[in-house]
Structures are given as C-alpha cells and as structure tokens.
Amino acid sequence: MNSLNGTLGSGESSAAMFSLTQLQYHLGQATMGWNWFSIGAGLLTLLGGARSSPPLVDRTWNGTEYGCKCYLGDDCWPSDDSWVGLNSTVDGNLVVTIPPGAACHDTFEGPLGTVATYDAAACADATAMFADESWNVEKPAAALWTYFTNDTCRPTLNPSEPCTLGNYGVYVIVAKTKDHIKAGVDFARENNLRLIIRNTGHDFIGRSTGWGALVINTHSFQDIEFIAEYSGPGDYHSQAVTIGAGVQGRALLTKAHDQEPPVAVLTGECPTVGVAGGLIQGGGHGPLTPTYGMTADTALSFDVVTAAGEFLTANADENPDLFWALKGGGPSAYAVVLSVTMKTFPEQASTGTIIEINSTHTTDPEVFWEGVRIFHKYSNRIVDAGLYAYFELSEMRLHVKPIVGFKKEVAETTSTLQPLFDEFKANGIPYSTYEKYYPSLFDLYIDLFEDEEAGTSALTGGWMFAHQDVEENNDGIIEAFRTVMSPREDLNSQGFIIGHLWDAGHSVSVSNSATHPRFRNSTNFAIVALPVPFGATLAQKEDLQNVLTNIQDAAMKKAGPNGCAYINEGDPTQPDWQDHFWGSEYPKLLEIRKKWDPNGVFYAIATPGTEDWEVIEYGTRLCRKL
C-alpha cells in the first residue's frame, strides 16, 4: 500500500479524526511538500479500488467457509468517487478515524497510509484526559474501555512507539441530521460494509468498535423536548419527554429538573450513559427501576432508520413489533434510533445512604467477607422496600454508594437498614455509614453518583441473582463473589464486581418490553470485570476470556440458578446467550430481526439473529458461516 507521508497540523491529531475534505486538500498540496496522491486515480489506488463483487466475500478460516463483509483491500471496497460522493451526501461530515492517543506518537500507521501525528500540547491533553469519560465521549469513534480496540495507540512517553488503527472503524460519519444516518446505512448496505452505530462509546463488550468498519456517530442528536401530556398512541396520557439519540443521563436529568414543576426520568446510574440508544435497546436499569421498572418500560415511541433506509415511527399503533423489540431486544439489532419519547414522573424528595467496609476498618479478610455476607443477606429486604443500591466490591473494599430511597424520609430508609446495622454490630463487623436527605432525586444523583473511569482494559461478564437465590443460597453467592475476586492462584485479587440492587418487578410486575422476564423477580444484578494487561498476547487474551466465562461467570450462575444475564453488561461469548439474555422472549425477537434486517446490515455481538455471524481472523473480519 502507498504511504502518506504528511502531517496533520496543530491540534488536528487531538481531534482523533481527519476529514475527507482535508484529505482532498492535502492531496492537492504537492507544492507544499506533501507526498499525497491526487483525489482521482491516486486515492483509488490508496483505497484499494472498487469494482462490483458478490454481496459477501468468500473466505476460509480454520477450514470453515465464510461469506464476509467487504473490507479495505477487497475488490468490492468502494471507490474513491464513492467515498467522495458519500462525503458530499453527508455534508462533509465523513472523517477518517485516528485513535485519541495518536498525538503522543510520531506517526499514525493507518490502513490508508502513514501520517505524522505528534503534537506535544495535544499529547499532554490526551495523557491528562484519557481516563475521563466525557473527553472520550466527544471523540468521533473512541471507546471508553479500550480492550475491544485492541488497546491500540494509547498515550505514551515514547513517541517512537507504533500507533495503528487496531479495531477502530476506518471512517466515521459524524451525523448531524437524520439524512446523514440514512446515507450511512444505505452506503453500508449497498457496499456490504460492516456498520457500527456509536453514540457515547460507553460500551463494555465491543459494540462501538469494529475492525475495518464504517461508523455512524449519533452523538450530536441532543434535542430534548418535554411534553405536558402525551396524547398517545397507547393508554398512557401524562407527562413525557422526547430526546435525541445522543442525549446522556446527566444532561437529560438536568433539563428535567429545570422544568416547572421538576420531573424525573428513568436513566442509567452512570451520568454519561446515552439514554435513547444502547441503554433502552438493552433494557436499561437505574435508580428509579424499583419504582418504574426498566428504562425500556418507559418508552412510548421511537423514530428510527431501518436497515432498508426507511424513516419509520414505532409505537403501540405503528410497527408495534419493532416497537416491542426496540425496548430491550438488543442494541444495534433492528434499526438506528433517531429519538425516543419516554414517560416522565413527578420529582420527589429522596434519601441517600453510604456504607463502607474496607481496609481502614479491618485488615482481617474473614471479618471483611463476613461483612459482605451480612450485607448481601439483607439485599432482598432492601429491594422489597423499594430501595435501590449501587455497590463496588473488590479485595478488602465494599463501597455501597448510594442506597437510594426515592420518595422516602430518612427515618423510613433507616428503619429498613437498621437490622443490617444491628447484625454488623452483633458480629463485630466494623463499618461506616452516612445518610442524607435531598429535596429531589436530582440533587441526590448529582451528589452521589459518579462518572466511571475510561481508558481501562478489561473483560466483562455478569449475572442477576433472583429473590429465591438470595433467600436460599446467600452463602453460595458470597463464595461465588470470592471466586470472582481470585479466580485462579495467578489472578489473586484481580477480579472486581459492580452490584446493583433493584427489583424491576417491584412496581411493574408485568413487562411491556422485550427484557428477560426473570428481571421481574430480581434482587442483585452484578457485573463481573477482569482486567487485561496492556500489550497482552492473543494467547493471554484467550486464557483470560476462558477465566471470565468458565470460572468467574460460571461460579455466579451456579450460585444463582434462577437468574439471568444482561446484554449491556454481560459476557457475549457465554454459552446459550440467547436464553441467558432474553429467555422465553428470544424466539419472537429472532423472528422480528429476520423481518426488519434479514441480510445483517446491523451487527452487535450476541444479539438476536447473529448466531451465524462470527468475527474471524483474530478479531478482524465479520463473516457469516456458509
């Protein structure tokens, strides 16, 4: 492949993108010393050419025949004129992906050629902000957790280190209008490209990245419109809000709090999560789940672009099958969400409680784990009272922040928790606790809920424990937690759990969404995380994936036979993921997927209809088994 020996200019590398318009400009600047090619035949050579080809590209991998998406270097890859035409159609918003850490490297060695990228000021910014969620969200293609990018091109003190594209998409449409999204869907469908829908990059299982893909970034869709009384369709006639695909939790709740009177919306617990896209399509859980169910339960209507490139509305009357599937049936599976209309609820005063047991309280592991056992023993009591709790569990650290009492006075929450505190004291468990009354849930949310840390590399699994599991086998659940913490002798204290105590059926016993029915009897949904060292070999990655699936998650499932898994925060490689993620809803979801996307324009791992698709050749090409 020809080399592009150019520079990006000050500040461009920090933007992690390079527009096709800039590419055209630089290609014409030979008099300025740029070694670029003309926008005609030269770029055609650069991009690998484009001629007609079968819908799928024949490929053999490990003795198995596949039909694959089209990638750079294949005869079917779109021509230079096609990419330039797409850029024109999307009003110049087609950009070339450059990883966020490229400013710290002398060059970016991308699939389109080599570009000089080092910029000291931009490198300092990337180094300082690489762990900041909001900084990463604003990048066109960045993934907040880097494992599925192949941990490529991180900030470094050694600029000579290689910087490659890894598993990022080649091009990104930074969509500003719904027509831009349609253009991207049409282009991917007509050229058999792998298509990624990316909003915030808040993604544990690699759905926001994809080797060689075209990415559609929906984050600029930030409209928020409150509705005094939703008039249907459906039987709901009260307050609502319509939000664009890019709106995040904190921004939505801030706008909701500014209403007269203030209202509440069911968002995720993390303030940076995009609400309309992956959250609702995966189901969605948050502080209001005990009161109003899953986020998907609050959806009233969607505006979408389908795999066929059609603009449609999906609600109780129009396209009701698509409406149901979009509510928890899997992200990036049926259509691209442009906006969603959701229920809102009266804002209420709330109480927040923090509980800590850590190495400042005790250095005795058995005392610590007895405290964890007692805490979890009362998890059914907590959710039965309509409380919500978020906790983090690692070696010698139980951090419960917060327990949320929506619409509850401090005395009411204290009454629920007092038996837990009494048992702590009776068993000599040292702990600290803090309670506070807030005039609104919004005030509690801003004060007690925290952004997560970006830039880390980890594998993620998880399991939900039902009421019956906690009641009958709490001690077994705690043993599973200990297995997660130290799954193997060489991985002692490496595991991590993020727990969420909520009962999605506490007030919404019958689901109107595609989420797993077992969530209506939930007590603790616990995320399992296992860090992956930067620079891990393929063999190391395969080994750690085996540990996550067959040791950590397996222990959780054995301890909770009445539970299930959650598509947004689970292990997509687990056996029988169809049943674990959706249970009895799966056959209907599969039928709907075949109707709305029969050719697999959309792909997100372990979503309905992806059984025959596989990412082969060491995590690169997306292919269908023949």
Side-chain angles (χ1 to χ4, degrees):
M1 181 176 293
N2 293 300
S3 175
L4 295 183
N5 298 312
T7 61
L8 284 178
S10 178
E12 289 175 344
S13 58
S14 65
M17 62 181 181
F18 193 40
S19 74
L20 201 62
T21 301
Q22 288 173 308
L23 183 57
Q24 286 180 272
Y25 174 78
H26 289 310
L27 288 171
Q29 296 302 300
T31 59
M32 296 180 62
W34 303 95
N35 186 16
W36 301 90
F37 295 84
S38 72
I39 193 64
L43 183 58
L44 177 61
T45 301
L46 171 68
L47 294 176
R51 298 291 183 267
S52 60
S53 64
L56 292 173
V57 179
D58 291 336
R59 205 82 177 177
T60 301
W61 175 247
N62 289 338
T64 301
E65 300 295 324
Y66 293 90
C68 300
K69 295 286 187 178
C70 185
Y71 291 99
L72 183 65
D74 293 334
D75 289 341
C76 56
W77 184 256
S79 69
D80 61 328
D81 288 342
S82 296
W83 287 110
V84 171
L86 175 62
N87 187 46
S88 177
T89 301
V90 299
D91 301 316
N93 287 295
L94 180 67
V95 302
V96 178
T97 306
I98 295 180
C104 295
H105 298 256
D106 289 333
T107 59
F108 166 60
E109 299 165 12
L112 304 182
T114 299
V115 181
T117 50
Y118 185 78
D119 182 315
C123 176
D125 180 59
T127 302
M129 302 301 292
F130 202 70
D132 182 87
E133 282 193 321
S134 295
W135 184 85
N136 280 276
V137 165
E138 298 305 319
K139 301 293 178 285
L144 271 60
W145 297 279
T146 59
Y147 176 79
F148 290 99
T149 72
N150 202 28
D151 276 317
T152 184
C153 200
R154 301 177 65 86
T156 178
L157 296 175
N158 180 10
S160 65
E161 287 183 2
C163 170
T164 62
L165 189 62
N167 291 339
Y168 285 112
V170 176
Y171 289 100
V172 184
I173 297 173
V174 184
K176 304 294 176 59
T177 71
K178 67 179 185 179
D179 289 322
H180 295 169
I181 294 179
K182 170 181 166 52
V185 173
D186 288 343
F187 193 82
R189 182 185 66 252
E190 292 163 3
N191 292 283
N192 188 36
L193 304 179
R194 182 172 181 182
L195 181 63
I196 300 294
I197 311 301
R198 190 266 190 195
N199 174 13
T200 65
H202 189 117
D203 170 22
F204 289 127
I205 59 177
R207 300 175 311 207
S208 297
T209 58
W211 184 84
L214 171 64
V215 180
I216 300 176
N217 183 306
T218 65
H219 188 59
S220 67
F221 287 66
Q222 292 290 327
D223 289 344
I224 301 175
E225 181 183 355
F226 288 89
I227 303 167
E229 184 165 342
Y230 181 74
S231 58
D235 56 6
Y236 178 82
H237 300 285
S238 188
Q239 294 176 311
V241 62
T242 299
I243 63 172
V247 174
Q248 295 168 267
R250 183 187 288 114
L252 175 57
L253 294 178
T254 300
K255 291 283 189 181
H257 186 67
D258 289 342
Q259 299 304 298
E260 293 290 346
V263 295
V265 189
L266 208 168
T267 68
E269 54 82 15
C270 180
T272 62
V273 169
V275 180
L279 182 70
I280 284 183
Q281 292 171 67
H285 59 86
L288 287 176
T289 290
T291 309
Y292 301 118
M294 305 290 278
T295 309
D297 296 325
T298 73
L300 299 167
S301 185
F302 295 89
D303 286 326
V304 304
V305 178
T306 68
E310 297 178 289
F311 294 116
L312 291 180
T313 296
N315 54 39
D317 288 352
E318 298 180 72
N319 306 300
D321 60 337
L322 180 60
F323 175 55
W324 178 79
L326 289 168
K327 297 188 297 178
S332 297
Y334 311 94
V336 183
V337 171
L338 301 172
S339 66
V340 61
T341 300
M342 307 167 61
K343 299 175 183 178
T344 65
F345 309 98
E347 180 62 282
Q348 301 283 346
S350 302
T351 61
T353 304
I354 300 172
I355 301 173
E356 303 275 6
I357 305 175
N358 54 49
S359 58
T360 68
H361 301 100
T362 179
T363 57
D364 186 334
E366 295 311 312
V367 172
F368 171 80
W369 280 106
E370 178 64 7
V372 174
R373 186 192 70 80
I374 293 171
F375 165 72
H376 202 267
K377 171 185 172 182
Y378 284 89
S379 57
N380 277 353
R381 179 181 174 87
I382 289 170
V383 301
D384 286 344
L387 301 179
Y388 168 95
Y390 172 91
F391 70 88
E392 297 174 354
L393 178 62
S394 55
E395 197 70 16
M396 297 299 293
R397 180 178 182 264
L398 174 64
H399 175 66
V400 186
K401 182 184 179 182
I403 297 175
V404 178
F406 181 62
K407 300 191 294 187
K408 298 186 184 300
E409 300 285 342
V410 170
E412 187 176 358
T413 303
T414 300
S415 177
T416 299
L417 298 176
Q418 194 59 51
L420 164 64
F421 297 143
D422 290 344
E423 189 160 345
F424 277 165
K425 293 175 182 177
N427 287 272
I429 306 299
Y431 70 100
S432 60
T433 186
Y434 167 84
E435 291 178 309
K436 185 176 180 180
Y437 177 82
Y438 294 86
S440 69
L441 178 64
F442 174 78
D443 291 304
L444 183 155
Y445 188 88
I446 295 300
D447 188 35
L448 296 183
F449 283 92
E450 303 164 328
D451 288 7
E452 296 166 7
E453 182 175 303
T456 58
S457 182
L459 290 164
T460 304
W463 195 247
M464 184 276 287
F465 297 102
H467 279 49
Q468 185 178 351
D469 297 324
V470 176
E471 181 178 348
E472 297 178 355
N473 192 34
N474 188 62
D475 289 359
I477 292 171
I478 302 308
E479 284 304 309
F481 288 176
R482 298 188 75 158
T483 297
V484 169
M485 294 300 107
S486 298
R488 210 168 56 190
E489 186 175 351
D490 61 318
L491 296 171
N492 186 49
S493 304
Q494 294 297 300
F496 189 80
I497 288 175
I498 301 173
H500 311 79
L501 305 185
W502 43 259
D503 181 352
H506 185 266
S507 299
V508 186
S509 58
V510 178
S511 170
N512 67 356
S513 64
T515 54
H516 201 305
R518 289 191 175 187
F519 281 130
R520 306 301 158 175
N521 189 32
S522 53
T523 289
N524 178 14
F525 168 66
I527 301 172
V528 171
L530 181 64
V532 179
F534 300 133
T537 65
L538 179 63
Q540 287 175 304
K541 292 177 180 179
E542 291 176 345
D543 175 57
L544 292 174
Q545 180 66 66
N546 177 67
V547 170
L548 176 78
T549 301
N550 297 313
I551 299 179
Q552 293 175 304
D553 262 11
M556 301 279 276
K557 293 174 184 178
K558 182 178 180 180
N562 300 291
C564 62
Y566 176 53
I567 180 58
N568 280 355
E569 297 162 330
D571 177 8
T573 70
Q574 63 185 301
D576 201 13
W577 54 263
Q578 296 91 336
D579 179 64
H580 292 332
F581 286 139
W582 288 284
S584 59
E585 309 290 13
Y586 191 79
K588 182 178 177 181
L589 287 169
L590 181 60
E591 180 181 345
I592 295 170
R593 175 63 180 273
K594 289 179 178 179
K595 172 184 175 181
W596 288 100
D597 184 18
N599 297 316
V601 173
F602 302 122
Y603 175 81
I605 188 171
T607 51
T610 61
E611 289 88 345
D612 293 332
W613 289 90
E614 183 179 346
V615 178
I616 66 170
E617 298 179 12
Y618 306 109
T620 58
R621 293 176 182 263
L622 175 63
C623 306
R624 188 195 294 271
K625 300 173 187 175
L626 299 179

